[in-house]
Amino acid sequence: MKFALFKSWGIRERLVSIAVVPATIMFVVVSLSLYFASRDEIRSDISERGNILAAALAESSRYAVVSGNTTPLNQTLHGLLAIDRSIISLQITDAQRTMLTSVGDNQTELAEIQVFERPIRAQIPDVDVFDKTGGPHIAAPAGQSASFKDGNAVGYVRVVMSALPVLEAKRQRVYAGLTIVLLALVVSGIAGLILARRLRDPLNSVMTSLRGIREGNYDVRLDDHQRGELGELQSTIVAMAKSLSQSRQELESQVEARTSALQNAIELANQADEERRRLIARSNVVVEEERRRIALEIHDHLNAALLFVRLESQRMGRLAALLGSNADAKEIESVADRISATTADLYDAARTITKKLRPEQIDTLGLKGALEEMLRNYRSAHPQCRFDFRAPTKFPKLTAELTITAYRVIQEALSNIVKHADASMAAVTLLAKPSQNDISITIEDDGSGFNVKKRVTAGIGLIGMRERVAAVGGSIKIVSDPNTGTKITIELPTKGG
Ligand SMILES: Nc1ncnc2c1ncn2[C@@H]1O[C@H](COP(=O)(O)OP(=O)(O)O)[C@@H](O)[C@H]1O
Ligand SMILES: [Mg+2]
């Protein structure tokens, strides 16, 4: 967390800070320590020099004080002031501290002032040996004769010095140095920026390529080829992109091969499925045709033959009755009766078989009529269950194939209801949807229901329903629930398909 700021720095910030920060710190530390160290040095140097200067001046100004001729001394003092900038003022006074001569700023209020004072002591023959006319003169200046004894102070030297001017000069030098360092920092900062740019440009191109690779663009070209580590990085990326591209191509061709194999397999399966459907549809047609033929055969030949046998046996009975009432005649009559009754049973059975094989209403009345008849039969055979039939008054005439498909499917559904559902209500609904070119059939019951998803191994009724519907290009949906019963919805296309 502490270094989060530095972590977010880019190359430019890092390089510039490397170029600028250490040099700045070094310069500031070195200059400040030198400045503070030299301050103390300057101070002690000044006190040393002040003492020496005061002593030397006390010595050399004795004659001027005694003689009262301060002009040459004044010149000397000016010279000293000019060569040493730490001297603020030089003052020479007499014994009463009356100013005889002075140079520099006497009223200074500068800080860091150091004052060095020395008495100017009389020495024999420190007397004005010449009078103003140039003749010998032994007298002391007026009013001073009493103090003119050897060793007495005849005046004072005051040297006022300060470290400030020298320090000021030193500070100016530090400022000048700082300015130079600032310039140097700017220059090295610019150098850092240029270096960062030279680093960043190839790195940017490397990053752009990496981003491209991430997005799947393996055609990497790095025109500005560098030397050293950067160059190695660039060539590694180019090599990596190349091998990635190769593996992608290999993978793609593998996927392509697998996909086309899969597509072939699907096509084959679809073809097989299609052929199977066609086969089933064809066999359904053949079976239905065969059933119709057998039904016709039974109707035309067997039933006619049975009718003939019945009529003949009845005639035989009547003839036997004409023979009188002997036992043989009675026997013949009863045999004729039995033959007649059996033939009638056979005739009924044959009619039932023909109906089952091919309900004749289907050809005469169409699907709706045949279904009405079917439901009538169910009602009389299973009075415990209510059978409803709903169909529009004008139901379109379907093709023979569609009619028999719908009929057989409904027949199987109703047979399942009476076999398995234990229902109290069953309903068949026909709906014609001319706009959508198909008819819809629903068969529902309120019975026990069953698990539609469970694979049934025993019966083939449901499978047959699905196959019949699929063979004519229709769809079937079975919904079943133990609480509500079963509902089968079938859609059959009346055109095309
Ligand atoms: N309407 C229904 N109500 C309850 N169960 C049903 C119904 N229709 C089908 N079934 C269940 O589905 C199974 C499969 O039916 P199906 O394929 O016609 O074979 P099958 O009638 O010969 O048993 C039946 O054995 C029965 O358990
Ligand atoms: Mg069944």
Side-chain angles (χ1 to χ4, degrees), residues 155-378:
Y156 293 93
V157 168
R158 255 169 82 91
V159 175
V160 180
M161 294 180 84
S162 169
L164 273 188
V166 178
L167 283 177
E168 187 56 35
K170 211 141 215 141
R171 198 178 298 142
Q172 292 304 330
R173 278 208 294 281
V174 170
Y175 287 157
L178 267 179
T179 314
I180 290 168
V181 167
L182 207 69
L183 282 175
L185 287 181
V186 169
V187 169
S188 63
I190 290 170
L193 280 176
I194 293 169
L195 198 64
R197 214 193 132 109
R198 293 189 61 171
L199 263 177
R200 247 162 47 125
D201 287 351
L203 277 180
N204 271 346
S205 79
V206 162
M207 299 242 280
T208 311
S209 321
L210 283 177
R211 260 183 235 120
I213 290 172
R214 190 180 60 193
E215 275 146 30
N217 174 21
Y218 300 125
D219 186 19
V220 173
R221 257 186 221 116
L222 295 167
D223 302 328
D224 174 25
H225 194 81
Q226 303 282 318
R227 271 177 285 178
E229 286 89 342
L230 267 178
E232 207 171 304
L233 183 65
Q234 287 178 324
S235 43
T236 308
I237 285 168
V238 171
M240 184 184 82
K242 211 179 263 175
S243 81
L244 273 176
S245 163
Q246 263 171 11
S247 12
R248 186 172 75 172
Q249 267 168 9
E250 275 165 27
L251 215 65
E252 271 173 3
S253 59
Q254 271 179 23
V255 168
E256 224 166 88
R258 294 271 160 85
T259 308
S260 81
L262 211 64
Q263 261 166 357
N264 282 347
I266 290 171
E267 252 163 51
L268 280 176
N270 280 347
Q271 217 174 317
D273 204 42
E274 180 67 20
E275 280 166 7
R276 191 175 57 91
R277 290 255 147 87
R278 277 218 309 276
L279 206 66
I280 289 169
R282 180 81 201 117
S283 62
N284 277 341
V285 169
V286 170
V287 167
E288 287 302 333
E289 194 45 50
E290 195 57 18
R291 280 178 167 183
R292 210 166 80 97
R293 200 185 56 75
I294 294 169
L296 216 63
E297 204 88 329
I298 292 172
H299 181 267
D300 289 356
H301 294 105
L302 189 67
N303 281 8
L306 283 173
L307 211 60
F308 174 74
V309 170
R310 193 170 177 215
L311 290 174
E312 286 299 295
S313 63
Q314 281 171 349
R315 200 159 74 91
M316 197 164 85
R318 280 198 302 277
L319 286 174
L322 290 177
L323 289 177
S325 55
N326 60 32
D328 288 342
K330 283 277 176 231
E331 180 63 24
I332 292 170
E333 207 181 326
S334 104
V335 168
D337 277 352
R338 282 208 300 276
I339 290 173
S340 169
T342 309
T343 347
D345 285 350
L346 274 175
Y347 183 81
D348 282 348
R351 267 193 68 80
T352 310
I353 289 170
T354 37
K355 252 190 217 168
K356 276 195 179 152
L357 280 171
R358 178 79 183 182
E360 58 204 84
Q361 296 90 343
I362 240 179
D363 300 315
T364 52
L365 303 175
L367 178 65
K368 198 175 145 190
L371 286 176
E372 270 163 359
E373 166 72 11
M374 190 201 289
L375 279 143
R376 246 197 312 279
N377 290 337
Y378 268 105

Side-chain angles (χ1 to χ4, degrees), residues 412-413 415-417 419-421 445 447-450 456 458-463 480 486:
E412 174 58 29
S415 119
N416 276 349
I417 290 173
K419 257 162 71 188
H420 311 294
D445 66 68
S448 58
F450 68 106
V456 181
I460 53 152
L462 291 179
I463 299 169
S480 191
T486 306

Side-chain angles (χ1 to χ4, degrees), residues 131-147:
D131 66 11
K132 284 180 182 139
T133 59
H137 171 72
I138 302 300
Q144 286 189 23
S145 55
S147 57

Side-chain angles (χ1 to χ4, degrees), residues 436-453:
Q436 285 163 26
N437 287 333
D438 61 6
I439 59 160
S440 116
I441 303 163
T442 57
I443 311 106
E444 51 197 313
D445 66 68
D446 64 351
S448 58
F450 68 106
N451 186 353
V452 179
K453 290 194 182 111

Side-chain angles (χ1 to χ4, degrees), residues 36-50:
F36 285 111
S38 66
R39 212 162 65 163
D40 294 340
E41 218 170 82
I42 287 166
R43 279 196 195 113
S44 72
D45 176 56
I46 278 179
S47 61
E48 212 170 283
R49 276 193 299 127

